[in-house]
Amino acid sequence: MRRAGLGEGVPPGNYGNYGYANSGYSACEEENERLTESLRSKVTAIKSLSIEIGHEVKHQNKLLAEMDSQFDSTTGFLDASDILQDNMLVSGFEMML
């Protein structure tokens, strides 16, 4: 596949630049380098973002584990106070009888 305007005017058998004229080939190479650098910077940005997301997920998991532990202790406290309340009700009824 040949790009329009590239390689025209090159004498037959002169394939040092793969059949492209010097100016056209270097323009193509410069465009490729520019696009490669753009892609490289985008990949780097995505990599950084994914690492930051990973750190955030670890932090959120730690917070959730702490909340779970606190809910468990609160549940235990409420169960104990429910038992005490039941005991008080039973003893109150026994005193009334």
Short mmCIF file of all heavy atoms in Angstrom, two decimals, residues 18-53:
data_model
loop_
_atom_site.label_atom_id
_atom_site.label_comp_id
_atom_site.label_asym_id
_atom_site.label_seq_id
_atom_site.Cartn_x
_atom_site.Cartn_y
_atom_site.Cartn_z
N TYR A 18 12.88 2.19 1.17
CA TYR A 18 11.74 1.33 0.87
C TYR A 18 10.87 1.91 -0.24
O TYR A 18 9.66 1.77 -0.25
CB TYR A 18 10.88 1.08 2.12
CG TYR A 18 11.66 0.46 3.24
CD1 TYR A 18 12.13 1.22 4.29
CD2 TYR A 18 11.96 -0.90 3.21
CE1 TYR A 18 12.87 0.65 5.30
CE2 TYR A 18 12.71 -1.47 4.23
CZ TYR A 18 13.16 -0.70 5.27
OH TYR A 18 13.90 -1.27 6.27
N GLY A 19 11.50 2.58 -1.18
CA GLY A 19 10.77 3.11 -2.31
C GLY A 19 10.13 4.46 -2.06
O GLY A 19 9.50 5.01 -2.94
N TYR A 20 10.28 5.02 -0.88
CA TYR A 20 9.70 6.33 -0.57
C TYR A 20 10.74 7.41 -0.76
O TYR A 20 11.92 7.21 -0.50
CB TYR A 20 9.20 6.39 0.88
CG TYR A 20 8.02 5.52 1.15
CD1 TYR A 20 8.15 4.34 1.88
CD2 TYR A 20 6.76 5.86 0.67
CE1 TYR A 20 7.06 3.53 2.11
CE2 TYR A 20 5.67 5.07 0.90
CZ TYR A 20 5.82 3.90 1.62
OH TYR A 20 4.74 3.11 1.86
N ALA A 21 10.30 8.56 -1.16
CA ALA A 21 11.20 9.70 -1.25
C ALA A 21 11.60 10.10 0.16
O ALA A 21 10.85 9.88 1.11
CB ALA A 21 10.49 10.86 -1.96
N ASN A 22 12.77 10.68 0.31
CA ASN A 22 13.27 11.02 1.64
C ASN A 22 12.29 11.88 2.43
O ASN A 22 12.02 11.61 3.58
CB ASN A 22 14.61 11.76 1.52
CG ASN A 22 15.75 10.82 1.21
OD1 ASN A 22 15.64 9.62 1.44
ND2 ASN A 22 16.82 11.35 0.66
N SER A 23 11.75 12.91 1.83
CA SER A 23 10.87 13.81 2.57
C SER A 23 9.57 13.12 2.97
O SER A 23 9.09 13.29 4.08
CB SER A 23 10.58 15.07 1.76
OG SER A 23 9.88 14.71 0.58
N GLY A 24 8.98 12.32 2.09
CA GLY A 24 7.74 11.64 2.40
C GLY A 24 7.91 10.59 3.46
O GLY A 24 7.10 10.44 4.36
N TYR A 25 8.99 9.84 3.42
CA TYR A 25 9.23 8.78 4.40
C TYR A 25 9.47 9.37 5.78
O TYR A 25 8.92 8.89 6.76
CB TYR A 25 10.44 7.94 3.96
CG TYR A 25 10.73 6.79 4.89
CD1 TYR A 25 9.90 5.68 4.92
CD2 TYR A 25 11.81 6.83 5.76
CE1 TYR A 25 10.14 4.63 5.78
CE2 TYR A 25 12.07 5.78 6.62
CZ TYR A 25 11.24 4.68 6.63
OH TYR A 25 11.49 3.65 7.48
N SER A 26 10.24 10.43 5.87
CA SER A 26 10.49 11.02 7.18
C SER A 26 9.22 11.66 7.74
O SER A 26 9.01 11.63 8.95
CB SER A 26 11.63 12.04 7.12
OG SER A 26 11.26 13.15 6.35
N ALA A 27 8.36 12.18 6.91
CA ALA A 27 7.09 12.74 7.39
C ALA A 27 6.23 11.62 7.97
O ALA A 27 5.61 11.78 9.03
CB ALA A 27 6.35 13.45 6.26
N CYS A 28 6.24 10.47 7.30
CA CYS A 28 5.48 9.31 7.80
C CYS A 28 6.07 8.83 9.12
O CYS A 28 5.33 8.54 10.07
CB CYS A 28 5.52 8.20 6.75
SG CYS A 28 4.56 6.75 7.20
N GLU A 29 7.39 8.77 9.21
CA GLU A 29 8.05 8.35 10.43
C GLU A 29 7.78 9.34 11.56
O GLU A 29 7.54 8.93 12.70
CB GLU A 29 9.56 8.21 10.22
CG GLU A 29 9.96 6.93 9.55
CD GLU A 29 9.62 5.72 10.40
OE1 GLU A 29 10.00 5.69 11.59
OE2 GLU A 29 8.96 4.82 9.88
N GLU A 30 7.82 10.64 11.25
CA GLU A 30 7.54 11.65 12.27
C GLU A 30 6.12 11.53 12.79
O GLU A 30 5.87 11.64 13.99
CB GLU A 30 7.78 13.05 11.70
CG GLU A 30 9.23 13.38 11.51
CD GLU A 30 9.43 14.72 10.83
OE1 GLU A 30 8.48 15.53 10.79
OE2 GLU A 30 10.55 14.95 10.34
N GLU A 31 5.18 11.26 11.89
CA GLU A 31 3.79 11.07 12.30
C GLU A 31 3.66 9.83 13.18
O GLU A 31 2.99 9.85 14.22
CB GLU A 31 2.87 10.94 11.09
CG GLU A 31 1.42 10.76 11.47
CD GLU A 31 0.52 10.57 10.26
OE1 GLU A 31 1.01 10.50 9.13
OE2 GLU A 31 -0.70 10.48 10.48
N ASN A 32 4.33 8.75 12.80
CA ASN A 32 4.30 7.53 13.61
C ASN A 32 4.90 7.77 14.99
O ASN A 32 4.36 7.30 16.00
CB ASN A 32 5.06 6.41 12.91
CG ASN A 32 4.26 5.76 11.81
OD1 ASN A 32 3.05 5.93 11.73
ND2 ASN A 32 4.94 5.04 10.93
N GLU A 33 6.00 8.49 15.06
CA GLU A 33 6.63 8.80 16.35
C GLU A 33 5.71 9.64 17.22
O GLU A 33 5.57 9.40 18.41
CB GLU A 33 7.97 9.52 16.15
CG GLU A 33 9.07 8.64 15.60
CD GLU A 33 9.44 7.52 16.55
OE1 GLU A 33 9.43 7.73 17.77
OE2 GLU A 33 9.72 6.42 16.05
N ARG A 34 5.06 10.63 16.61
CA ARG A 34 4.14 11.49 17.34
C ARG A 34 2.96 10.68 17.87
O ARG A 34 2.58 10.80 19.04
CB ARG A 34 3.64 12.62 16.43
CG ARG A 34 2.72 13.61 17.11
CD ARG A 34 2.22 14.67 16.14
NE ARG A 34 1.49 14.12 15.02
CZ ARG A 34 0.23 13.69 15.06
NH1 ARG A 34 -0.44 13.73 16.18
NH2 ARG A 34 -0.35 13.21 13.98
N LEU A 35 2.40 9.83 17.04
CA LEU A 35 1.27 9.00 17.46
C LEU A 35 1.69 7.98 18.51
O LEU A 35 0.93 7.70 19.45
CB LEU A 35 0.65 8.30 16.25
CG LEU A 35 -0.07 9.22 15.25
CD1 LEU A 35 -0.48 8.43 14.01
CD2 LEU A 35 -1.26 9.90 15.89
N THR A 36 2.89 7.43 18.36
CA THR A 36 3.40 6.48 19.35
C THR A 36 3.58 7.15 20.70
O THR A 36 3.21 6.58 21.74
CB THR A 36 4.75 5.88 18.88
OG1 THR A 36 4.55 5.23 17.63
CG2 THR A 36 5.30 4.90 19.88
N GLU A 37 4.12 8.35 20.70
CA GLU A 37 4.31 9.09 21.96
C GLU A 37 2.96 9.44 22.59
O GLU A 37 2.79 9.33 23.80
CB GLU A 37 5.13 10.36 21.72
CG GLU A 37 5.49 11.09 22.99
CD GLU A 37 6.24 10.24 23.99
OE1 GLU A 37 7.10 9.43 23.59
OE2 GLU A 37 5.97 10.38 25.20
N SER A 38 2.00 9.81 21.77
CA SER A 38 0.66 10.11 22.28
C SER A 38 0.04 8.86 22.91
O SER A 38 -0.54 8.93 24.00
CB SER A 38 -0.23 10.61 21.13
OG SER A 38 -1.55 10.77 21.55
N LEU A 39 0.17 7.73 22.24
CA LEU A 39 -0.35 6.48 22.78
C LEU A 39 0.37 6.10 24.07
O LEU A 39 -0.26 5.67 25.04
CB LEU A 39 -0.20 5.37 21.74
CG LEU A 39 -0.74 4.00 22.11
CD1 LEU A 39 -2.24 4.07 22.37
CD2 LEU A 39 -0.43 3.00 21.01
N ARG A 40 1.68 6.29 24.10
CA ARG A 40 2.46 5.97 25.30
C ARG A 40 1.99 6.81 26.49
O ARG A 40 1.84 6.29 27.60
CB ARG A 40 3.95 6.23 25.03
CG ARG A 40 4.85 5.84 26.19
CD ARG A 40 6.34 6.03 25.86
NE ARG A 40 6.75 5.07 24.85
CZ ARG A 40 7.23 5.39 23.64
NH1 ARG A 40 7.39 6.64 23.29
NH2 ARG A 40 7.57 4.45 22.79
N SER A 41 1.73 8.10 26.26
CA SER A 41 1.29 8.95 27.37
C SER A 41 -0.11 8.55 27.84
O SER A 41 -0.40 8.57 29.04
CB SER A 41 1.32 10.42 26.98
OG SER A 41 0.36 10.70 26.00
N LYS A 42 -0.97 8.13 26.92
CA LYS A 42 -2.31 7.68 27.31
C LYS A 42 -2.24 6.38 28.10
O LYS A 42 -2.96 6.22 29.10
CB LYS A 42 -3.19 7.51 26.07
CG LYS A 42 -3.56 8.82 25.42
CD LYS A 42 -4.33 8.62 24.14
CE LYS A 42 -4.58 9.96 23.47
NZ LYS A 42 -5.26 9.80 22.18
N VAL A 43 -1.40 5.47 27.70
CA VAL A 43 -1.24 4.20 28.42
C VAL A 43 -0.69 4.47 29.82
O VAL A 43 -1.15 3.88 30.80
CB VAL A 43 -0.31 3.23 27.64
CG1 VAL A 43 0.12 2.06 28.50
CG2 VAL A 43 -1.01 2.74 26.38
N THR A 44 0.27 5.39 29.93
CA THR A 44 0.83 5.74 31.23
C THR A 44 -0.25 6.33 32.13
O THR A 44 -0.33 6.00 33.32
CB THR A 44 2.00 6.74 31.06
OG1 THR A 44 3.00 6.13 30.24
CG2 THR A 44 2.59 7.13 32.39
N ALA A 45 -1.09 7.20 31.57
CA ALA A 45 -2.17 7.81 32.36
C ALA A 45 -3.16 6.75 32.84
O ALA A 45 -3.59 6.76 34.00
CB ALA A 45 -2.89 8.88 31.54
N ILE A 46 -3.51 5.82 31.96
CA ILE A 46 -4.45 4.75 32.33
C ILE A 46 -3.83 3.85 33.40
O ILE A 46 -4.50 3.44 34.35
CB ILE A 46 -4.87 3.94 31.09
CG1 ILE A 46 -5.76 4.80 30.20
CG2 ILE A 46 -5.60 2.67 31.48
CD1 ILE A 46 -6.07 4.19 28.85
N LYS A 47 -2.54 3.57 33.28
CA LYS A 47 -1.86 2.74 34.27
C LYS A 47 -1.87 3.42 35.63
O LYS A 47 -2.18 2.79 36.65
CB LYS A 47 -0.43 2.47 33.83
CG LYS A 47 0.35 1.59 34.77
CD LYS A 47 1.77 1.36 34.27
CE LYS A 47 2.57 0.56 35.28
NZ LYS A 47 3.97 0.39 34.84
N SER A 48 -1.56 4.71 35.66
CA SER A 48 -1.59 5.46 36.92
C SER A 48 -2.98 5.47 37.53
O SER A 48 -3.15 5.28 38.74
CB SER A 48 -1.13 6.90 36.70
OG SER A 48 0.21 6.94 36.32
N LEU A 49 -3.98 5.66 36.69
CA LEU A 49 -5.35 5.69 37.17
C LEU A 49 -5.75 4.33 37.74
O LEU A 49 -6.38 4.26 38.80
CB LEU A 49 -6.30 6.08 36.03
CG LEU A 49 -7.77 6.24 36.38
CD1 LEU A 49 -7.96 7.34 37.42
CD2 LEU A 49 -8.57 6.55 35.14
N SER A 50 -5.37 3.26 37.08
CA SER A 50 -5.74 1.93 37.58
C SER A 50 -5.03 1.63 38.90
O SER A 50 -5.61 1.00 39.79
CB SER A 50 -5.43 0.85 36.54
OG SER A 50 -4.05 0.74 36.31
N ILE A 51 -3.80 2.11 39.06
CA ILE A 51 -3.09 1.92 40.33
C ILE A 51 -3.79 2.70 41.44
O ILE A 51 -3.99 2.19 42.55
CB ILE A 51 -1.61 2.34 40.20
CG1 ILE A 51 -0.87 1.32 39.32
CG2 ILE A 51 -0.93 2.47 41.56
CD1 ILE A 51 0.53 1.73 38.93
N GLU A 52 -4.19 3.94 41.13
CA GLU A 52 -4.92 4.75 42.12
C GLU A 52 -6.25 4.10 42.50
O GLU A 52 -6.64 4.10 43.67
CB GLU A 52 -5.16 6.15 41.58
CG GLU A 52 -3.91 7.00 41.52
CD GLU A 52 -4.18 8.37 40.93
OE1 GLU A 52 -5.32 8.86 41.02
OE2 GLU A 52 -3.23 8.95 40.37
N ILE A 53 -6.94 3.54 41.52
CA ILE A 53 -8.20 2.85 41.80
C ILE A 53 -7.94 1.66 42.72
O ILE A 53 -8.70 1.40 43.66
CB ILE A 53 -8.89 2.40 40.49
CG1 ILE A 53 -9.43 3.62 39.75
CG2 ILE A 53 -10.01 1.41 40.76
CD1 ILE A 53 -9.94 3.33 38.35
#
